[in-house]
C-alpha cells in the first residue's frame, strides 16, 4: 500500500511541476484575494486569525452566492449535490490573502450556519488532510470529473456538520427544559 501511495504522490508532484503550478498559483486560479480591508500583511497567531471571519466575509471579491470562474463552477456543483433549488442558500467565501489563509484556509462554504473550509494545495503531504476540512488538489482544479467528486465531498461534509449542529441544538433545548422544569 505504501509503495502505491508513494507512486501516486510522485506522479502528482510530476504533474504539478509539468503544469508549473505552485500552491500560490493554484490558489490564484481558484480563489481571488479578499479586499484590501481584510488582507493580512504579515503572519498573525491562530487565535487572532480565528477572529477575522466577519472581516473577511465583509471584504469579498465577489457575491458569495454567485462566485466567478472555477469557484463558480464548484459552487454550482455543490448546490446540485445538495439538491438546492435556490443556490443563494449556499455561499462560497474566499479567504485568499487574509489572516485565515496563513492558517490553511483559502476559502469556505456556508450553508445554514455551518461552515466547511477549503485549502488549495499542490503539496502532496497535505492531500490526506491538513488544517482545512477539505483539501483542493491540482487534479480537482484541472479535471471536471474530479471537481464533481470534490463537490460531492463538500456537500457531504456540509450535511454532516448541519446534522451535528441540529443534534447539538436539540440537546441544548432538552437541557434548558429540564433546568426550567426543576426550578
Amino acid at each position: 500500500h505504501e509503495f502505491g501511495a508513494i507512486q501516486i504522490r510522485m506522479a502528482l508532484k510530476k504533474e504539478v511541476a509539468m503544469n508549473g503550478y505552485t500552491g500560490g498559483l493554484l490558489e490564484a486560479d481558484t480563489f481571488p484575494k479578499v479586499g484590501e480591508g481584510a488582507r493580512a500583511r504579515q503572519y498573525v497567531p491562530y487565535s487572532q486569525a480565528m477572529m477575522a471571519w466577519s472581516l473577511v466575509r465583509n471584504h469579498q471579491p465577489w457575491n458569495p452566492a454567485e462566485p466567478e470562474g472555477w469557484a463558480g463552477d464548484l459552487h454550482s456543483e455543490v448546490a446540485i449535490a445538495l439538491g438546492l433549488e435556490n443556490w443563494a442558500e449556499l455561499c462560497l467565501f474566499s479567504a485568499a490573502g487574509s489572516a485565515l489563509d496563513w492558517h490553511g484556509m483559502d476559502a469556505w462554504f456556508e450553508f445554514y450556519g455551518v461552515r466547511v473550509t477549503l485549502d488549495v494545495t499542490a503539496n502532496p503531504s497535505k492531500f490526506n488532510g491538513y488544517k482545512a476540512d477539505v483539501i483542493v488538489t491540482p487534479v480537482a482544479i484541472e479535471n471536471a470529473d474530479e471537481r464533481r467528486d470534490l463537490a460531492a465531498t463538500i456537500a457531504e461534509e456540509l450535511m454532516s456538520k448541519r446534522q451535528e449542529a441540529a443534534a447539538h441544538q436539540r440537546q441544548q433545548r432538552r437541557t434548558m427544559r429540564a433546568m426550567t422544569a426543576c426550578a
Side-chain angles (χ1 to χ4, degrees):
H1 293 303
E2 190 170 324
F3 181 72
I6 290 170
Q7 284 182 314
I8 290 169
R9 282 196 299 273
M10 288 174 58
L12 284 169
K13 275 186 174 180
K14 182 178 178 184
E15 179 180 340
V16 167
M18 286 174 24
N19 292 330
Y21 267 144
T22 63
L25 289 173
L26 282 171
E27 190 177 287
D29 277 356
T30 53
F31 304 113
K33 288 188 186 251
V34 296
E36 280 295 321
R39 291 206 183 145
R41 308 274 181 259
Q42 61 188 26
Y43 177 85
V44 295
Y46 182 81
S47 60
Q48 287 179 337
M50 293 304 102
M51 292 187 282
W53 293 101
S54 62
L55 179 67
V56 173
R57 174 187 256 279
N58 292 327
H59 287 87
Q60 286 300 293
W62 56 35
N63 174 350
E66 295 180 15
E68 300 164 2
W70 181 89
D73 294 340
L74 179 64
H75 177 270
S76 299
E77 289 172 2
V78 173
I80 290 167
L82 289 169
L84 298 180
E85 289 183 28
N86 180 4
W87 291 5
E89 295 171 350
L90 177 69
C91 291
L92 175 56
F93 296 91
S94 175
S98 74
L100 299 171
D101 192 1
W102 283 95
H103 294 280
M105 290 170 259
D106 296 322
W108 79 88
F109 276 96
E110 271 188 24
F111 181 60
Y112 289 106
V114 298
R115 185 184 292 151
V116 170
T117 58
L118 309 176
D119 183 18
V120 178
T121 185
N123 182 347
S125 68
K126 293 182 181 180
F127 290 176
N128 290 327
Y130 189 57
K131 296 177 184 178
D133 296 313
V134 178
I135 301 299
V136 179
T137 67
V139 176
I141 294 167
E142 296 178 351
N143 181 296
D145 291 333
E146 291 292 327
R147 187 180 60 235
R148 275 188 290 282
D149 290 347
L150 173 65
T153 298
I154 293 166
E156 288 171 15
E157 187 73 16
L158 283 164
M159 291 307 295
S160 174
K161 284 187 171 196
R162 190 164 180 221
Q163 289 169 348
E164 287 174 22
H168 180 72
Q169 288 174 342
R170 282 191 299 275
Q171 183 58 42
Q172 284 183 319
R173 284 193 298 269
R174 281 188 210 117
T175 301
M176 290 303 292
R177 281 194 300 269
M179 289 172 62
T180 56
C182 297

